[in-house]
């Protein structure tokens, strides 16, 4: 029953978000085009509920000559590939805003485990142990406010499973408020990181 209510809230908040953020989104679009050559958006294959695949949308934060399908942590000096506006968007998580479209389409929720990359087999397998693959993936989640990029995969999967087990209004509110605090403080963001925990940003934005 709660998942139906959750879906309704997702759609309403996403539509309101698109309206309220129309001007900032337009500014970001212009900034991306002025800053570097290439498309404004990029899509990336991710794992959805029950391990189905979908394409997630993000604002492009890397240059178009970045080696394709190479995880950020495997790039030599990743910073050289990240655009100027891209660094700002990654730090503030503004590059994630296009996922509002994924939420409206029913592929994601506002709150839920961050969708794993299709080839993050270790994370997907770990999440299976805790039932974390059986709930809709989210724009932000329990693991994101509990360590974000700094978490090892086993800990991240366990936190995602804890969310799946306790999913409900109070859990979603805690994640939502915690996300605001985390973004303001840029808590847990490790650009390039270890590469083992970056379901959010460990593949080239191209």
């Amino acid at each position: 029953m709660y998942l139906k209510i959750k879906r309704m809230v997702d759609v309403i908040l996403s539509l309101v978000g698109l309206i309220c953020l129309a001007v900032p989104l337009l500014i970001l679009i212009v900034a991306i085009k002025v800053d570097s050559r290439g498309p404004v958006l990029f899509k990336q294959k991710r794992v959805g509920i029950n391990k189905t695949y979908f394409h997630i949308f993000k604002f492009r934060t890397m240059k178009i000559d970045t080696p394709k399908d190479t995880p950020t942590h495997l790039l030599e000096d990743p910073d050289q590939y990240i655009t100027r506006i891209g660094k700002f968007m990654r730090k503030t998580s503004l590059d994630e805003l296009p996922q509002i479209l994924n939420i409206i389409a029913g592929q994601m929720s506002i709150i839920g485990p961050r969708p794993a990359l299709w080839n993050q087999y270790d994370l997907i397998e770990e999440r299976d142990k805790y039932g974390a693959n059986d709930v809709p993936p989210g724009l932000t989640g329990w693991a994101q406010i509990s360590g974000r990029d700094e978490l090892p995969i086993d800990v991240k999967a366990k936190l995602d499973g804890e969310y799946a087990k306790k999913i409900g209004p109070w859990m979603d509110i805690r994640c939502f408020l915690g996300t605001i605090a985390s973004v303001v403080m840029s808590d847990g963001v490790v650009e390039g990181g270890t590469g083992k925990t970056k379901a959010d940003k460990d593949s080239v934005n191209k």
Side-chain angles (χ1 to χ4, degrees), residues 130 132 142 157-167 171 174:
Y130 304 104
W142 189 235
K158 190 172 183 179
L159 287 168
D160 289 333
E162 184 177 339
Y163 171 81
K165 184 178 180 180
K166 297 180 180 179
I167 189 170
M171 192 63 164
R174 290 178 68 185

Side-chain angles (χ1 to χ4, degrees), residues 13-105:
L13 291 182
S14 296
L15 291 174
V16 171
L18 277 180
I19 296 172
C20 294
L21 296 172
V23 173
L25 287 172
L26 182 59
I27 292 173
L28 286 175
I29 289 170
V30 173
I32 293 169
K33 294 300 292 183
V34 171
D35 190 40
S36 64
R37 293 183 298 113
V40 171
L41 298 178
F42 88 104
K43 63 181 182 179
Q44 191 178 63
K45 189 177 178 181
R46 296 284 183 124
V47 179
I49 187 171
N50 299 322
K51 293 188 286 188
T52 55
Y53 294 127
F54 72 100
H55 284 93
I56 201 173
F57 293 103
K58 288 189 178 187
F59 280 131
R60 179 177 59 84
T61 61
M62 304 190 84
K63 300 173 183 177
I64 61 173
D65 60 347
T66 305
K68 192 175 181 180
D69 295 328
T70 303
T72 302
H73 73 287
L74 293 181
L75 293 172
E76 185 177 347
D77 187 16
D79 282 344
Q80 69 174 310
Y81 296 107
I82 302 174
T83 63
R84 288 170 296 178
I85 186 65
K87 291 178 182 179
F88 169 73
M89 289 193 295
R90 283 181 168 223
K91 184 176 182 180
T92 57
S93 296
L94 290 173
D95 59 318
E96 310 285 356
L97 287 179
Q99 287 158 49
I100 291 176
L101 300 176
N102 293 113
I103 295 171
I104 293 174

Side-chain angles (χ1 to χ4, degrees), residues 5-6 24 46 91 99 125 131 204:
I5 297 175
K6 181 180 173 71
R46 296 284 183 124
K91 184 176 182 180
Q99 287 158 49
E125 184 177 351
V204 171

Side-chain angles (χ1 to χ4, degrees), residues 140-196:
T140 184
W142 189 235
Q144 275 58 54
I145 67 171
S146 303
R148 214 168 169 178
D149 296 340
E150 297 175 339
L151 296 174
I153 281 177
D154 57 338
V155 175
K156 185 172 186 177
K158 190 172 183 179
L159 287 168
D160 289 333
E162 184 177 339
Y163 171 81
K165 184 178 180 180
K166 297 180 180 179
I167 189 170
W170 174 234
M171 192 63 164
D172 280 355
I173 291 172
R174 290 178 68 185
C175 289
F176 185 81
L177 296 178
T179 296
I180 294 175
S182 181
V183 169
V184 169
M185 299 174 62
S186 295
D187 189 30
V189 178
V190 182
E191 197 55 69
T194 63
K196 295 181 179 180

